[in-house]
């Protein structure tokens, strides 16, 4: 616990570097392509359109509790944060290896490398969110104050993401094929999370698995507060928070314990 | 050479330092797991530094010489905090500016100006400091007309000038220089050495790794000779350079 406080203080000391690295990622992407930032919006939008077609026109997945909502929005509300989660993890996994030359030459808190990729992805997410907002206005989806719950839910998601990211970043440095394992894991995880289908379609006897999957709880909670206008299930959210904090603690410990040999192993 | 620890102005202290690299025998997880189960060796040891001890006081200019692969860069990385000792102690008092590679972290798509901020931040400069010295950095680099071009368009000479211009504007108490002064044309090298002399006057402790005995003799008052992970000689530049030449 003390180590986390010390690390936070170090990061604040090096905040200029963190800002510069986030800025670098954001700017570099924009400069590298013709589509530039348009791609950040195009990606989830295209996914949503095609998946909506596949899962509501071809295969008809009912949205149940949120029946009055078009499937495309039902999907998008869950797909956006899921994409953020998956992208953050994949990107963070390679962040140490990708900055190999920096790690062997200069000292700075290595957690900044992981943090900067996650923050860059959050910026992407914020942009893609604008598409969701436009959609919701266009379809006149009603919202109420409960939507503000999305903010703490978002924080829980980031705690979980950070914990896993630290673990995978450290592991990938030592064994370079971990990133492929992670890619596969995330693809499968998508199906085990109620993104494409509503949570209440899951048969009773399997619900326990979903309770233990923080992303399932998080994604369902987003739907609850944005589309149904309800409060999230506080018990589930608390469990998700607990699991996420545990993940953060474990991930951080793993990251720091191997830190001394990062420069050796590149 | 006897070392007196806890000298009030001792800024770098290596005490019985051993650095061992444990290279993994398996590069991928796919290979590692079966090897672990079969009980095969999963790491090979390599001793990079063997019982190295020395003491550097504030304001000294120390050269480190030795053949390739002897462990010189490892010493620098240990001082910079990039690597950790396997056993033994490394104590460093003071802010460090490592010139172990120029242009660390620069991104090819960003302009020279943007990279000044990025590279400066990596070297530990705060934003205010970079803002204040921005013009001075651009002037030192002599590439003002290209400063707003992406650095992928720079020649290697321009790149090096920019990187060095940023590096000399750091304000360290300890400066670590690793063979980077081998690049650049005569006039630029002269400018860089002049700047290093200014650091010396200011009382900055300088650790200087070079293959050029001439540079070391010109610039350093003390030298350390490392060969095959062991510290062979530590004394005045003249003594140590002679020891090095005698060993060839």
């Amino acid at each position: 616990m003390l180590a986390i406080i010390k690390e936070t203080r170090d990061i604040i000391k090096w905040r200029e570097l963190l800002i510069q690295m986030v800025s670098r990622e954001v700017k570099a992407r924009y400069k590298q392509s013709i589509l530039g930032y348009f791609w950040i919006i195009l990606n989830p939008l295209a996914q949503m359109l095609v998946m909506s077609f596949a899962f509501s026109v071809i295969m008809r997945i009912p949205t149940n509790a949120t029946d009055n909502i078009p499937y495309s929005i039902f999907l998008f509300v869950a797909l956006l944060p899921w994409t953020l989660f998956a992208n953050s993890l994949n990107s963070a996994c390679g962040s140490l290896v990708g900055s190999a030359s920096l790690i062997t030459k200069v000292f700075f808190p290595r957690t900044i490398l992981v943090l900067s990729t996650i923050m860059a992805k959050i910026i992407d997410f914020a942009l893609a969110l604008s598409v969701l907002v436009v959609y919701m206005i266009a379809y006149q989806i009603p919202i109420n104050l409960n939507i503000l719950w999305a903010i703490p839910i978002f924080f829980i998601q980031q705690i979980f993401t950070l914990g896993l990211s630290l673990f995978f970043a450290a592991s990938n440095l030592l064994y370079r094929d971990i990133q492929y394992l992670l890619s596969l894991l995330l693809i499968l995880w998508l199906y085990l999370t109620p993104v494409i289908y509503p949570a209440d379609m899951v048969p009773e006897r399997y619900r326990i698995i979903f309770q233990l999957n923080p992303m399932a709880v998080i994604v369902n909670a987003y739907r609850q507060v944005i589309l149904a206008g309800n409060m999230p299930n506080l018990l589930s959210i608390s469990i998700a928070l607990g699991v996420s904090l545990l993940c953060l603690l474990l991930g951080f410990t793993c990251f720091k314990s191997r830190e001394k040999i990062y420069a050796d192993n590149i | 050479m006897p070392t007196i620890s806890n000298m009030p102005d001792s800024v770098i202290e290596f005490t019985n330092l051993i650095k061992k690299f444990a290279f993994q025998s398996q590069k991928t997880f796919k290979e590692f797991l079966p090897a672990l189960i079969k009980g095969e060796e999963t790491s090979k040891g390599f001793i990079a530094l063997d019982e190295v001890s020395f003491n550097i006081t504030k304001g000294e200019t120390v050269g480190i010489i030795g053949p390739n692969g002897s462990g010189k860069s490892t010493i620098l990385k240990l001082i910079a905090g990039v690597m950790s000792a396997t056993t033994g102690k490394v104590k460093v008092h003071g802010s460090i500016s490592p010139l172990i590679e120029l242009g660390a972290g620069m991104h090819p798509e960003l302009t020279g100006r943007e990279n000044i901020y990025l590279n400066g931040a990596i070297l530990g400069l705060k934003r205010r400091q970079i803002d204040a010295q921005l013009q001075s950095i651009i002037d030192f680099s002599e590439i003002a007309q290209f400063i707003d071009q992406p650095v992928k368009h720079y020649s290697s000479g321009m790149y090096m000038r920019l990187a060095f211009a940023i590096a000399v504007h750091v304000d360290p108490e300890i400066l670590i220089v690793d063979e980077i002064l081998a690049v650049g044309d005569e006039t630029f090298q002269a400018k860089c050495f002049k700047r290093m002399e200014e650091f010396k006057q200011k009382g900055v402790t300088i650790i200087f790794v070079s293959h050029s005995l001439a540079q070391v003799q010109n610039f350093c008052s003390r030298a350390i000779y490392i060969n095959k992970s062991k510290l062979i000689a530590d004394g005045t530049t003249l003594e140590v350079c002679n020891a090095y030449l005698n060993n060839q």
Side-chain angles (χ1 to χ4, degrees):
Chain A
M1 196 55 218
L2 241 63
I4 293 191
I5 297 177
K6 177 173 183 300
E7 189 75 19
T8 311
R9 266 197 272 148
D10 281 343
I11 292 171
I12 294 178
K13 196 167 132 206
W14 284 86
R15 65 188 178 284
E16 181 60 34
L17 180 60
L18 181 59
I19 295 171
Q20 285 299 323
M21 295 197 106
V22 178
S23 173
R24 169 180 81 167
E25 290 218 24
V26 168
K27 279 189 210 166
R29 172 122 45 114
Y30 178 69
K31 295 191 189 200
Q32 257 165 0
S33 55
I34 262 187
L35 291 178
Y37 253 83
F38 187 56
W39 176 248
I40 303 304
I41 299 179
L42 187 66
N43 201 336
L45 190 63
Q47 272 193 25
M48 183 198 81
L49 292 174
V50 173
M51 284 169 98
S52 296
F53 182 70
F55 295 116
S56 67
V57 174
I58 301 177
M59 280 195 334
R60 255 148 280 196
I61 296 188
T63 55
N64 288 353
T66 45
D67 244 346
N68 52 328
I69 313 275
Y71 181 80
S72 50
I73 298 194
F74 164 83
L75 174 65
F76 207 39
V77 163
L79 188 61
L80 256 188
W82 173 266
T83 308
L84 170 62
F85 175 68
N87 285 350
S88 298
L89 272 188
N90 275 321
S91 173
C93 188
S95 63
L96 290 183
V97 176
S99 293
S101 57
L102 265 188
I103 291 180
T104 51
K105 308 280 190 318
V106 189
F107 174 77
F108 57 87
R110 307 318 192 193
T111 40
I112 285 189
L113 289 170
V114 175
L115 275 172
S116 66
T117 45
I118 294 178
M119 285 170 76
K121 295 298 175 202
I122 292 180
I123 294 179
D124 291 353
F125 170 74
L127 238 99
L129 207 57
S130 57
V131 177
L132 178 63
V133 171
V134 166
Y135 252 89
M136 285 184 66
I137 295 177
Y139 279 87
Q140 295 173 315
I141 309 289
I143 60 169
N144 58 27
L145 271 182
N146 274 324
I147 205 175
L148 291 175
W149 277 100
I151 298 175
I153 297 171
F154 183 77
F155 269 111
I156 298 177
Q157 179 181 341
Q158 293 319 309
I159 294 173
F160 187 50
T161 305
L162 184 58
L164 288 181
S165 294
L166 289 170
F167 170 73
F168 279 106
S171 307
N172 193 48
L173 192 69
L174 299 175
Y175 298 106
R176 298 297 159 88
D177 53 351
I178 295 267
Q179 57 187 334
Y180 303 115
L181 221 85
L182 177 65
S183 269
L184 176 64
L185 182 69
L186 284 169
I187 293 174
L188 299 179
W189 200 339
L190 171 65
Y191 293 109
L192 288 176
T193 308
V195 174
I196 300 173
Y197 49 84
D200 49 23
M201 256 181 103
V202 178
E204 276 288 345
R205 62 182 182 281
Y206 295 120
R207 294 232 175 136
I208 184 75
I209 308 179
F210 283 73
Q211 289 285 41
L212 292 174
N213 170 7
M215 279 314 286
V217 173
I218 288 170
V219 148
N220 193 38
Y222 280 130
R223 282 211 176 110
Q224 284 293 315
V225 306
I226 297 174
L227 298 179
N230 293 332
M231 264 181 51
N233 181 330
L234 288 179
L235 177 62
S236 301
I237 289 286
S238 312
I239 298 177
L241 177 61
V243 175
S244 301
L245 285 171
L246 186 65
C247 263
L248 180 59
L249 199 61
L250 291 175
F252 180 75
T253 309
C254 173
F255 189 89
K256 291 298 278 186
S257 72
R258 311 261 193 80
E259 206 176 32
K260 302 208 168 179
I261 57 170
Y262 287 161
D264 301 357
N265 271 298
I266 288 185
Chain B
M1 177 169 157
T3 53
I4 310 164
S5 32
N6 298 324
M7 276 174 74
D9 50 352
S10 151
V11 286
I12 300 178
E13 244 179 80
F14 272 48
T15 320
N16 295 85
L17 180 109
I18 300 182
K19 176 67 186 169
K20 187 171 160 197
F21 288 119
F23 293 128
Q24 299 152 241
S25 305
Q26 293 81 22
K27 265 286 139 196
T28 63
F29 195 64
K30 182 189 106 202
E31 293 164 18
F32 170 68
L33 212 48
L36 190 64
I37 295 172
K38 282 194 244 165
E40 287 170 2
E41 63 157 23
T42 54
S43 71
K44 289 191 284 263
F46 168 72
I47 297 185
L49 289 174
D50 195 359
E51 294 278 339
V52 172
S53 301
F54 59 81
N55 215 306
I56 296 180
T57 55
K58 187 162 170 21
E60 274 194 282
T61 306
V62 183
I64 303 188
I65 56 178
N68 286 329
S70 53
K72 308 190 301 290
S73 288
T74 308
I75 291 184
L76 294 190
K77 289 180 185 177
L78 283 161
I79 298 176
V82 168
M83 287 185 175
S84 312
T86 310
T87 58
K89 281 245 203 88
V90 176
K91 284 220 198 98
V92 177
H93 303 284
S95 65
I96 304 175
S97 186
L99 301 190
I100 299 181
E101 180 177 282
L102 288 179
M106 293 226 243
H107 195 292
E109 292 291 339
L110 301 182
T111 66
R113 194 184 298 264
E114 288 165 337
N115 270 308
I116 289 177
Y117 280 92
L118 180 57
N119 192 236
I122 288 172
L123 292 178
L125 290 174
K126 303 276 188 290
R127 192 180 195 110
R128 269 176 283 114
Q129 292 170 290
I130 303 175
D131 284 335
Q133 301 186 79
L134 187 61
Q135 199 49 53
S136 172
I137 295 173
I138 298 179
D139 292 338
F140 190 100
S141 70
E142 296 167 9
I143 56 166
Q145 49 176 158
F146 301 106
I147 205 71
D148 288 302
Q149 299 271 350
V151 299
K152 64 182 179 181
H153 293 146
Y154 287 10
S155 68
S156 57
M158 290 163 69
Y159 187 91
M160 186 270 308
R161 279 165 186 271
L162 180 63
F164 209 91
I166 304 168
V168 296
H169 281 81
V170 296
D171 191 20
E173 289 158 11
I174 303 172
L175 185 68
I176 310 178
V177 186
D178 186 1
E179 302 184 78
I180 56 168
L181 291 183
V183 299
D185 59 27
E186 283 285 345
T187 31
F188 198 73
Q189 272 208 29
K191 212 157 87 156
C192 296
F193 266 108
K194 178 156 163 283
R195 186 63 111 143
M196 303 238 302
E197 282 291 337
E198 288 169 24
F199 278 134
K200 215 165 145 192
Q201 301 301 332
K202 259 172 69 176
V204 175
T205 313
I206 304 184
I207 319 288
F208 182 58
V209 167
S210 178
H211 277 302
S212 159
L213 290 189
Q215 280 183 347
V216 172
Q217 274 164 349
N218 264 334
F219 194 63
C220 310
S221 54
R222 179 175 156 201
I224 293 176
Y225 170 31
I226 307 278
N227 193 0
K228 294 213 182 71
S229 81
K230 293 204 186 344
L231 186 145
I232 311 283
D234 180 358
T236 66
T237 318
L238 208 50
E239 289 172 10
V240 177
C241 286
N242 282 332
Y244 179 70
L245 290 169
N246 286 336
N247 232 330
Q248 296 309 298

